[in-house]
Amino acid sequence: MTTYRPVWAEIDLDAIRANVRTLAGVASPAALMTVVKADGYGHGAVPAARAALDAGAQWLGVALVEEGAELRAAGIDARVLVLSEPPPAAPAVVALGLRPVAYTRPGIDALAKAVADSGAEPLPVHLKVDTGMHRVGCTAADACALAETITARDELRLEGVLTHFAVADEPDDPYTSEQLDRFEAALDDLRGAGVEFDMVHAANSAALLTFTDRARFDLVRCGIAAYGVPPAPSLAGRVPLRPAMALKARVSHVKRLPAGARVSYGLRYTTPAEGTVATVPIGYADGVPRALSASGGAVLVGGRRHPIAGTVTMDQLMVDMGDTPVAVGDEVVLLGRDGDAEITADEWADRLGTIAYEIVCGIGRRVPRSYG
């Protein structure tokens, strides 16, 4: 898409590479999967995947078959795991050479039929066991029967067994250890029944940083940490990570307003003194949350913080510059560093009562990405 608006997100691929190398070192001897679902957590799935593979990731993870198709269309032939069962898309999974997660009999049957119809080689499948997240996955009681269903089908091969943690980003919560207990018991049952599989995986970014020795198994699935964002603020600093995304724009309009002027929709912001208000051509349609101003949100101009003035609108927001000189074309940093000052996705998340994942994933596709 040709763009004319002075708004962009800078994606530092060297930061992704550095983060992946760091995480791979922590995970070793387990292999590292970099999860690139949700367009690489807003960073761009294909560039992020290539950077991660350059830095030593051995697997990629996606949520949707469509996301796997995008990687294949870009010429990426790495091992790609589809993290949720994809029965309607089973033929595409086979055609694209993706590795599916499965956890129901209909899902397993659909995958086997797709292989049989295509005449392809046996498809590697990963069986997901629900140990307490209660989103998707089979029960521990059903794991043996489903695993045997997979191994009984000539079209399929049970490559892996996995689970997912609910509160690994809260290291003091004993629930993760309870999930590990359930998972290890399920693995013992599978092995006791003579079921063979190549690998086991459970840890996400948070579990890698908090349960390194026990949850590592054969493969670690890192998503948010690969992009330089800690899985939770309390885990910041566990390993050195560099944020890979900066969100920037340029001032499009300036005006001088008297003290007491009321700004933007709802007239909820009142200028405390005479000063300059700068308009920036980015808004909630681009991923800047509408409520950010009401929660004390700010931007950086010239290395200094200035408050967002009034409600963020769909395509624009205003900034109270006070008496600080500003001109059309001046750079505005919404996320990232400017001199010694920095605004992070975690800061936005804390102000808005959400998580940094939602912030970076929410930067819209109409914001062009530049890569360096």
Side-chain angles (χ1 to χ4, degrees):
M1 181 177 68
T2 301
T3 59
Y4 305 97
R5 187 176 55 143
V7 171
W8 69 99
E10 295 176 357
I11 310 300
D12 185 347
L13 296 177
D14 282 340
I16 293 176
R17 293 185 187 99
N19 296 333
V20 168
R21 289 190 194 100
T22 295
L23 296 165
V26 176
S28 181
L32 184 77
M33 172 190 293
T34 299
V35 181
V36 295
K37 64 180 181 176
D39 195 31
Y41 290 59
H43 294 70
V46 169
R50 288 178 174 149
L53 293 169
D54 287 346
Q58 295 168 283
W59 289 70
L60 300 171
V62 297
L64 309 176
V65 174
E66 292 88 339
E67 294 171 336
E70 180 183 7
L71 300 178
R72 293 292 189 246
I76 294 172
D77 61 0
R79 288 172 288 187
V80 177
L81 185 68
V82 181
L83 294 164
S84 292
E85 190 176 75
V93 168
V94 175
L96 293 165
L98 307 177
R99 280 154 155 90
V101 166
Y103 36 80
T104 69
R105 195 173 299 275
I108 293 166
D109 290 344
L111 292 167
K113 182 178 186 302
V115 175
D117 290 346
S118 69
E121 295 294 316
L123 180 69
V125 174
H126 291 235
L127 177 67
K128 186 166 190 177
V129 181
D130 178 12
T131 58
M133 174 81 173
H134 302 320
R135 182 173 60 182
V136 294
C138 68
T139 66
D142 290 337
C144 279
L146 289 174
E148 289 168 350
T149 298
I150 294 170
T151 58
R153 302 298 298 256
D154 292 338
E155 303 91 346
L156 307 177
R157 178 171 68 84
L158 182 60
E159 182 175 50
V161 180
L162 71 150
T163 194
H164 191 61
F165 298 126
V167 290
D169 56 349
E170 301 175 26
D172 294 330
D173 193 316
Y175 196 70
T176 302
S177 292
E178 294 170 17
Q179 283 191 261
L180 276 165
D181 290 342
R182 296 185 196 114
F183 188 47
E184 288 166 347
L187 294 172
D188 288 343
D189 289 343
L190 289 169
R191 293 178 177 124
V195 175
E196 295 182 356
F197 42 91
D198 299 337
M199 61 194 311
V200 174
H201 47 114
N204 54 8
S205 293
L208 174 64
L209 301 180
T210 57
F211 293 89
T212 302
D213 294 333
R214 190 176 172 203
R216 186 168 52 199
F217 295 108
D218 304 302
L219 177 68
V220 170
R221 308 184 302 266
C222 281
I224 195 69
Y227 306 99
V229 179
S234 63
L235 301 183
R238 293 280 181 118
V239 297
L241 298 173
R242 288 165 48 190
M245 177 188 287
L247 180 62
K248 299 182 178 181
R250 294 191 183 279
V251 172
S252 60
H253 187 64
V254 295
K255 64 182 70 66
R256 194 77 178 170
L257 293 178
R262 299 165 72 192
V263 179
S264 196
Y265 287 127
L267 303 178
R268 294 184 177 90
Y269 183 85
T270 302
T271 55
E274 180 184 351
T276 301
V277 169
T279 300
V280 185
I282 188 170
Y284 63 75
D286 304 295
V288 182
R290 187 172 181 271
L292 189 60
S293 57
S295 58
V299 302
L300 303 177
V301 182
R304 295 178 56 189
R305 283 178 173 260
H306 297 276
I308 297 173
T311 304
V312 174
T313 71
M314 183 180 290
D315 311 299
Q316 299 174 94
L317 58 81
M318 282 67 81
V319 178
D320 190 342
M321 297 295 299
D323 287 324
T324 301
V326 64
V328 170
D330 284 354
E331 186 175 270
V332 178
V333 177
L334 294 98
L335 291 172
R337 182 175 290 279
D338 187 357
D340 293 331
E342 184 177 22
I343 296 174
T344 65
D346 272 328
E347 177 185 322
W348 279 21
D350 182 62
R351 292 185 182 280
L352 297 164
T354 185
I355 56 176
Y357 298 68
E358 185 176 3
I359 300 303
V360 293
C361 289
I363 304 305
R365 281 185 175 266
R366 76 176 191 171
V367 175
R369 271 66 166 169
S370 66
Y371 293 92

